[in-house]
Amino acid sequence: MAALPQASLKRGSIYLLVAWLFGTSMAIFAKQVEPLTGVWMILFFQGLISFMLNLTCAFKKKETVASFHSWKLLIFRTISGFISFLCIFVAVSKTSLMNVLLLDNTAPIFIPIVAFFWLKTKIPKAMWLGILTGFAGILCILQPSNDILKQHGILLALLAGVFMALIQIAIRLLASKEGAFAILFYYFLFYTLIASPFAICFWKLPSLYAFWLLVGSSVCSFGMQICFVKAFTYARPVEIGPLNYSAVVYSYLGGWILWGQNVSFIGLVGVCLVIIGGILTIYIDKKNHFKSKL
């Protein structure tokens, strides 16, 4: 059984922030390439390229790969990850990237609920202050209309948020038992095997342009998964979960810088609330000395 390294909120937070930078970039690539290849090709290339990129690291840690034993938890994490990405990629083809990232990043709201039913973990009431502050920031950034739930893709994005909560808890549990590159080795292998039959049935020969978009999405997916594992090796999901909201901040600022989208005063207030929410949660957690499997 692998032992978790010394806890570090700083390292865990940095890894999670970088993970969502990769994740936002992955979603942008996927939104561009989905009309050209279809969602199954994206999923297949993500698994295959990520598996190939991870091979060298896994070979160096071959002892941990050979001694891997947490199969049920890994299969659960792989299926959850596959469904989550499937929901995200279909959702971004149906609605705006901002809406998808908003609902996908409701994971911090679901993490305490999932932890309560799965691990019987009680969450201090004070911790909800940071979680709800961050979510209020998301609403300020998105400024959703009254008919947001009527849009195609919205429910899929919300479902992705539920699965993201499951994924983050599963990663934390796996990291307490197995090595990081062993987890990723088998995750990418099983992910590719799951996606392969669908990719074969719906195969579209990608153009050179589409191929590089697929590579870009896959490399970002690989970076995201590595940073996720590292983040939840150093810190618990309940500690740094609100930093998932950074994905919406990235997409909001990216739209402003890259595509000239207007930035409203309320939107800037939302960015500040997201950051404050993450800091509050970490501060409250340290003050209360909250202890759990997470």
PDB file of all heavy atoms in Angstrom, residues 232-255:
ATOM      1  N   PHE A 232      -4.815  15.551  -5.370  1.00  0.00           N
ATOM      2  CA  PHE A 232      -5.524  14.827  -4.324  1.00  0.00           C
ATOM      3  C   PHE A 232      -4.625  13.837  -3.590  1.00  0.00           C
ATOM      4  O   PHE A 232      -5.072  13.139  -2.683  1.00  0.00           O
ATOM      5  CB  PHE A 232      -6.758  14.143  -4.909  1.00  0.00           C
ATOM      6  CG  PHE A 232      -7.727  15.133  -5.489  1.00  0.00           C
ATOM      7  CD1 PHE A 232      -8.098  15.064  -6.823  1.00  0.00           C
ATOM      8  CD2 PHE A 232      -8.224  16.163  -4.724  1.00  0.00           C
ATOM      9  CE1 PHE A 232      -8.966  15.993  -7.355  1.00  0.00           C
ATOM     10  CE2 PHE A 232      -9.089  17.105  -5.248  1.00  0.00           C
ATOM     11  CZ  PHE A 232      -9.462  17.012  -6.572  1.00  0.00           C
ATOM     12  N   THR A 233      -3.352  13.793  -3.986  1.00  0.00           N
ATOM     13  CA  THR A 233      -2.356  13.104  -3.179  1.00  0.00           C
ATOM     14  C   THR A 233      -1.925  13.993  -2.021  1.00  0.00           C
ATOM     15  O   THR A 233      -1.699  13.527  -0.908  1.00  0.00           O
ATOM     16  CB  THR A 233      -1.130  12.735  -4.040  1.00  0.00           C
ATOM     17  OG1 THR A 233      -1.532  11.816  -5.057  1.00  0.00           O
ATOM     18  CG2 THR A 233      -0.042  12.074  -3.188  1.00  0.00           C
ATOM     19  N   TYR A 234      -1.842  15.289  -2.287  1.00  0.00           N
ATOM     20  CA  TYR A 234      -1.384  16.239  -1.274  1.00  0.00           C
ATOM     21  C   TYR A 234      -2.512  16.832  -0.436  1.00  0.00           C
ATOM     22  O   TYR A 234      -2.269  17.297   0.686  1.00  0.00           O
ATOM     23  CB  TYR A 234      -0.622  17.384  -1.941  1.00  0.00           C
ATOM     24  CG  TYR A 234       0.757  17.007  -2.405  1.00  0.00           C
ATOM     25  CD1 TYR A 234       1.049  16.860  -3.762  1.00  0.00           C
ATOM     26  CD2 TYR A 234       1.780  16.786  -1.489  1.00  0.00           C
ATOM     27  CE1 TYR A 234       2.320  16.513  -4.188  1.00  0.00           C
ATOM     28  CE2 TYR A 234       3.053  16.435  -1.907  1.00  0.00           C
ATOM     29  CZ  TYR A 234       3.322  16.302  -3.259  1.00  0.00           C
ATOM     30  OH  TYR A 234       4.576  15.949  -3.677  1.00  0.00           O
ATOM     31  N   ALA A 235      -3.727  16.852  -0.946  1.00  0.00           N
ATOM     32  CA  ALA A 235      -4.819  17.498  -0.214  1.00  0.00           C
ATOM     33  C   ALA A 235      -6.131  16.782  -0.477  1.00  0.00           C
ATOM     34  O   ALA A 235      -6.308  16.129  -1.507  1.00  0.00           O
ATOM     35  CB  ALA A 235      -4.938  18.970  -0.626  1.00  0.00           C
ATOM     36  N   ARG A 236      -7.065  16.914   0.465  1.00  0.00           N
ATOM     37  CA  ARG A 236      -8.358  16.255   0.360  1.00  0.00           C
ATOM     38  C   ARG A 236      -9.294  17.077  -0.535  1.00  0.00           C
ATOM     39  O   ARG A 236      -9.222  18.305  -0.551  1.00  0.00           O
ATOM     40  CB  ARG A 236      -8.992  16.087   1.748  1.00  0.00           C
ATOM     41  CG  ARG A 236      -8.092  15.374   2.739  1.00  0.00           C
ATOM     42  CD  ARG A 236      -8.825  15.079   4.035  1.00  0.00           C
ATOM     43  NE  ARG A 236      -9.421  16.258   4.658  1.00  0.00           N
ATOM     44  CZ  ARG A 236      -8.782  17.085   5.468  1.00  0.00           C
ATOM     45  NH1 ARG A 236      -7.503  16.892   5.739  1.00  0.00           N
ATOM     46  NH2 ARG A 236      -9.410  18.114   6.026  1.00  0.00           N
ATOM     47  N   PRO A 237     -10.226  16.402  -1.248  1.00  0.00           N
ATOM     48  CA  PRO A 237     -11.181  17.133  -2.078  1.00  0.00           C
ATOM     49  C   PRO A 237     -11.991  18.170  -1.317  1.00  0.00           C
ATOM     50  O   PRO A 237     -12.296  19.234  -1.855  1.00  0.00           O
ATOM     51  CB  PRO A 237     -12.093  16.019  -2.627  1.00  0.00           C
ATOM     52  CG  PRO A 237     -11.215  14.817  -2.664  1.00  0.00           C
ATOM     53  CD  PRO A 237     -10.323  14.945  -1.460  1.00  0.00           C
ATOM     54  N   VAL A 238     -12.347  17.881  -0.059  1.00  0.00           N
ATOM     55  CA  VAL A 238     -13.138  18.858   0.703  1.00  0.00           C
ATOM     56  C   VAL A 238     -12.328  20.099   1.033  1.00  0.00           C
ATOM     57  O   VAL A 238     -12.886  21.158   1.324  1.00  0.00           O
ATOM     58  CB  VAL A 238     -13.688  18.241   2.008  1.00  0.00           C
ATOM     59  CG1 VAL A 238     -14.714  17.181   1.697  1.00  0.00           C
ATOM     60  CG2 VAL A 238     -12.573  17.664   2.867  1.00  0.00           C
ATOM     61  N   GLU A 239     -10.993  19.988   1.018  1.00  0.00           N
ATOM     62  CA  GLU A 239     -10.139  21.139   1.311  1.00  0.00           C
ATOM     63  C   GLU A 239     -10.007  22.063   0.106  1.00  0.00           C
ATOM     64  O   GLU A 239     -10.111  23.288   0.216  1.00  0.00           O
ATOM     65  CB  GLU A 239      -8.731  20.675   1.713  1.00  0.00           C
ATOM     66  CG  GLU A 239      -8.644  19.976   3.056  1.00  0.00           C
ATOM     67  CD  GLU A 239      -7.223  19.505   3.319  1.00  0.00           C
ATOM     68  OE1 GLU A 239      -6.660  18.800   2.475  1.00  0.00           O
ATOM     69  OE2 GLU A 239      -6.672  19.867   4.372  1.00  0.00           O
ATOM     70  N   ILE A 240      -9.751  21.475  -1.057  1.00  0.00           N
ATOM     71  CA  ILE A 240      -9.411  22.279  -2.235  1.00  0.00           C
ATOM     72  C   ILE A 240     -10.477  22.215  -3.317  1.00  0.00           C
ATOM     73  O   ILE A 240     -10.305  22.794  -4.388  1.00  0.00           O
ATOM     74  CB  ILE A 240      -8.044  21.840  -2.826  1.00  0.00           C
ATOM     75  CG1 ILE A 240      -8.073  20.366  -3.233  1.00  0.00           C
ATOM     76  CG2 ILE A 240      -6.934  22.108  -1.825  1.00  0.00           C
ATOM     77  CD1 ILE A 240      -6.798  19.903  -3.909  1.00  0.00           C
ATOM     78  N   GLY A 241     -11.590  21.532  -3.040  1.00  0.00           N
ATOM     79  CA  GLY A 241     -12.649  21.390  -4.027  1.00  0.00           C
ATOM     80  C   GLY A 241     -13.127  22.692  -4.640  1.00  0.00           C
ATOM     81  O   GLY A 241     -13.359  22.762  -5.855  1.00  0.00           O
ATOM     82  N   PRO A 242     -13.315  23.770  -3.838  1.00  0.00           N
ATOM     83  CA  PRO A 242     -13.789  25.027  -4.441  1.00  0.00           C
ATOM     84  C   PRO A 242     -12.866  25.584  -5.519  1.00  0.00           C
ATOM     85  O   PRO A 242     -13.304  26.393  -6.337  1.00  0.00           O
ATOM     86  CB  PRO A 242     -13.858  25.971  -3.231  1.00  0.00           C
ATOM     87  CG  PRO A 242     -14.142  25.069  -2.081  1.00  0.00           C
ATOM     88  CD  PRO A 242     -13.331  23.834  -2.374  1.00  0.00           C
ATOM     89  N   LEU A 243     -11.610  25.165  -5.541  1.00  0.00           N
ATOM     90  CA  LEU A 243     -10.701  25.644  -6.585  1.00  0.00           C
ATOM     91  C   LEU A 243     -11.057  25.063  -7.955  1.00  0.00           C
ATOM     92  O   LEU A 243     -10.520  25.493  -8.968  1.00  0.00           O
ATOM     93  CB  LEU A 243      -9.251  25.301  -6.224  1.00  0.00           C
ATOM     94  CG  LEU A 243      -8.708  26.020  -4.983  1.00  0.00           C
ATOM     95  CD1 LEU A 243      -7.283  25.571  -4.688  1.00  0.00           C
ATOM     96  CD2 LEU A 243      -8.755  27.530  -5.164  1.00  0.00           C
ATOM     97  N   ASN A 244     -11.978  24.076  -7.977  1.00  0.00           N
ATOM     98  CA  ASN A 244     -12.506  23.615  -9.256  1.00  0.00           C
ATOM     99  C   ASN A 244     -13.150  24.768 -10.020  1.00  0.00           C
ATOM    100  O   ASN A 244     -13.214  24.760 -11.251  1.00  0.00           O
ATOM    101  CB  ASN A 244     -13.557  22.517  -9.042  1.00  0.00           C
ATOM    102  CG  ASN A 244     -12.953  21.204  -8.601  1.00  0.00           C
ATOM    103  OD1 ASN A 244     -11.937  20.775  -9.125  1.00  0.00           O
ATOM    104  ND2 ASN A 244     -13.563  20.561  -7.628  1.00  0.00           N
ATOM    105  N   TYR A 245     -13.643  25.745  -9.289  1.00  0.00           N
ATOM    106  CA  TYR A 245     -14.288  26.893  -9.915  1.00  0.00           C
ATOM    107  C   TYR A 245     -13.328  27.681 -10.800  1.00  0.00           C
ATOM    108  O   TYR A 245     -13.764  28.495 -11.625  1.00  0.00           O
ATOM    109  CB  TYR A 245     -14.843  27.842  -8.844  1.00  0.00           C
ATOM    110  CG  TYR A 245     -15.926  27.275  -7.979  1.00  0.00           C
ATOM    111  CD1 TYR A 245     -15.988  27.585  -6.628  1.00  0.00           C
ATOM    112  CD2 TYR A 245     -16.900  26.435  -8.508  1.00  0.00           C
ATOM    113  CE1 TYR A 245     -16.998  27.083  -5.819  1.00  0.00           C
ATOM    114  CE2 TYR A 245     -17.906  25.925  -7.708  1.00  0.00           C
ATOM    115  CZ  TYR A 245     -17.961  26.257  -6.365  1.00  0.00           C
ATOM    116  OH  TYR A 245     -18.953  25.759  -5.575  1.00  0.00           O
ATOM    117  N   SER A 246     -12.040  27.459 -10.644  1.00  0.00           N
ATOM    118  CA  SER A 246     -11.058  28.186 -11.450  1.00  0.00           C
ATOM    119  C   SER A 246     -11.253  27.929 -12.938  1.00  0.00           C
ATOM    120  O   SER A 246     -10.894  28.768 -13.777  1.00  0.00           O
ATOM    121  CB  SER A 246      -9.636  27.800 -11.036  1.00  0.00           C
ATOM    122  OG  SER A 246      -9.413  26.407 -11.230  1.00  0.00           O
ATOM    123  N   ALA A 247     -11.844  26.770 -13.302  1.00  0.00           N
ATOM    124  CA  ALA A 247     -12.078  26.465 -14.712  1.00  0.00           C
ATOM    125  C   ALA A 247     -12.979  27.509 -15.361  1.00  0.00           C
ATOM    126  O   ALA A 247     -12.771  27.903 -16.508  1.00  0.00           O
ATOM    127  CB  ALA A 247     -12.695  25.072 -14.859  1.00  0.00           C
ATOM    128  N   VAL A 248     -13.991  27.955 -14.615  1.00  0.00           N
ATOM    129  CA  VAL A 248     -14.889  28.960 -15.158  1.00  0.00           C
ATOM    130  C   VAL A 248     -14.182  30.306 -15.264  1.00  0.00           C
ATOM    131  O   VAL A 248     -14.398  31.069 -16.202  1.00  0.00           O
ATOM    132  CB  VAL A 248     -16.156  29.076 -14.294  1.00  0.00           C
ATOM    133  CG1 VAL A 248     -17.111  30.102 -14.875  1.00  0.00           C
ATOM    134  CG2 VAL A 248     -16.843  27.722 -14.206  1.00  0.00           C
ATOM    135  N   VAL A 249     -13.320  30.602 -14.299  1.00  0.00           N
ATOM    136  CA  VAL A 249     -12.532  31.836 -14.351  1.00  0.00           C
ATOM    137  C   VAL A 249     -11.636  31.814 -15.591  1.00  0.00           C
ATOM    138  O   VAL A 249     -11.535  32.809 -16.319  1.00  0.00           O
ATOM    139  CB  VAL A 249     -11.684  32.012 -13.079  1.00  0.00           C
ATOM    140  CG1 VAL A 249     -10.826  33.269 -13.170  1.00  0.00           C
ATOM    141  CG2 VAL A 249     -12.576  32.067 -11.846  1.00  0.00           C
ATOM    142  N   TYR A 250     -10.978  30.660 -15.839  1.00  0.00           N
ATOM    143  CA  TYR A 250     -10.108  30.545 -17.009  1.00  0.00           C
ATOM    144  C   TYR A 250     -10.886  30.791 -18.302  1.00  0.00           C
ATOM    145  O   TYR A 250     -10.427  31.509 -19.194  1.00  0.00           O
ATOM    146  CB  TYR A 250      -9.482  29.144 -17.079  1.00  0.00           C
ATOM    147  CG  TYR A 250      -8.512  28.823 -15.975  1.00  0.00           C
ATOM    148  CD1 TYR A 250      -8.412  27.518 -15.466  1.00  0.00           C
ATOM    149  CD2 TYR A 250      -7.677  29.793 -15.438  1.00  0.00           C
ATOM    150  CE1 TYR A 250      -7.516  27.206 -14.461  1.00  0.00           C
ATOM    151  CE2 TYR A 250      -6.787  29.489 -14.427  1.00  0.00           C
ATOM    152  CZ  TYR A 250      -6.713  28.192 -13.933  1.00  0.00           C
ATOM    153  OH  TYR A 250      -5.828  27.881 -12.933  1.00  0.00           O
ATOM    154  N   SER A 251     -12.067  30.179 -18.411  1.00  0.00           N
ATOM    155  CA  SER A 251     -12.838  30.332 -19.644  1.00  0.00           C
ATOM    156  C   SER A 251     -13.358  31.757 -19.791  1.00  0.00           C
ATOM    157  O   SER A 251     -13.429  32.293 -20.901  1.00  0.00           O
ATOM    158  CB  SER A 251     -14.001  29.338 -19.672  1.00  0.00           C
ATOM    159  OG  SER A 251     -14.917  29.613 -18.630  1.00  0.00           O
ATOM    160  N   TYR A 252     -13.716  32.375 -18.684  1.00  0.00           N
ATOM    161  CA  TYR A 252     -14.206  33.754 -18.715  1.00  0.00           C
ATOM    162  C   TYR A 252     -13.101  34.711 -19.166  1.00  0.00           C
ATOM    163  O   TYR A 252     -13.287  35.531 -20.067  1.00  0.00           O
ATOM    164  CB  TYR A 252     -14.710  34.134 -17.333  1.00  0.00           C
ATOM    165  CG  TYR A 252     -15.453  35.453 -17.277  1.00  0.00           C
ATOM    166  CD1 TYR A 252     -16.776  35.535 -17.680  1.00  0.00           C
ATOM    167  CD2 TYR A 252     -14.826  36.599 -16.811  1.00  0.00           C
ATOM    168  CE1 TYR A 252     -17.469  36.742 -17.623  1.00  0.00           C
ATOM    169  CE2 TYR A 252     -15.505  37.806 -16.749  1.00  0.00           C
ATOM    170  CZ  TYR A 252     -16.828  37.869 -17.157  1.00  0.00           C
ATOM    171  OH  TYR A 252     -17.502  39.054 -17.102  1.00  0.00           O
ATOM    172  N   LEU A 253     -11.927  34.582 -18.546  1.00  0.00           N
ATOM    173  CA  LEU A 253     -10.803  35.442 -18.899  1.00  0.00           C
ATOM    174  C   LEU A 253     -10.278  35.132 -20.303  1.00  0.00           C
ATOM    175  O   LEU A 253      -9.861  36.029 -21.031  1.00  0.00           O
ATOM    176  CB  LEU A 253      -9.683  35.292 -17.864  1.00  0.00           C
ATOM    177  CG  LEU A 253     -10.019  35.754 -16.436  1.00  0.00           C
ATOM    178  CD1 LEU A 253      -8.848  35.500 -15.502  1.00  0.00           C
ATOM    179  CD2 LEU A 253     -10.411  37.224 -16.428  1.00  0.00           C
ATOM    180  N   GLY A 254     -10.312  33.846 -20.669  1.00  0.00           N
ATOM    181  CA  GLY A 254      -9.872  33.467 -22.006  1.00  0.00           C
ATOM    182  C   GLY A 254     -10.748  34.080 -23.085  1.00  0.00           C
ATOM    183  O   GLY A 254     -10.251  34.538 -24.119  1.00  0.00           O
ATOM    184  N   GLY A 255     -12.068  34.099 -22.838  1.00  0.00           N
ATOM    185  CA  GLY A 255     -12.972  34.716 -23.789  1.00  0.00           C
ATOM    186  C   GLY A 255     -12.721  36.199 -23.930  1.00  0.00           C
ATOM    187  O   GLY A 255     -12.844  36.780 -25.020  1.00  0.00           O
TER     188      GLY A 255
END
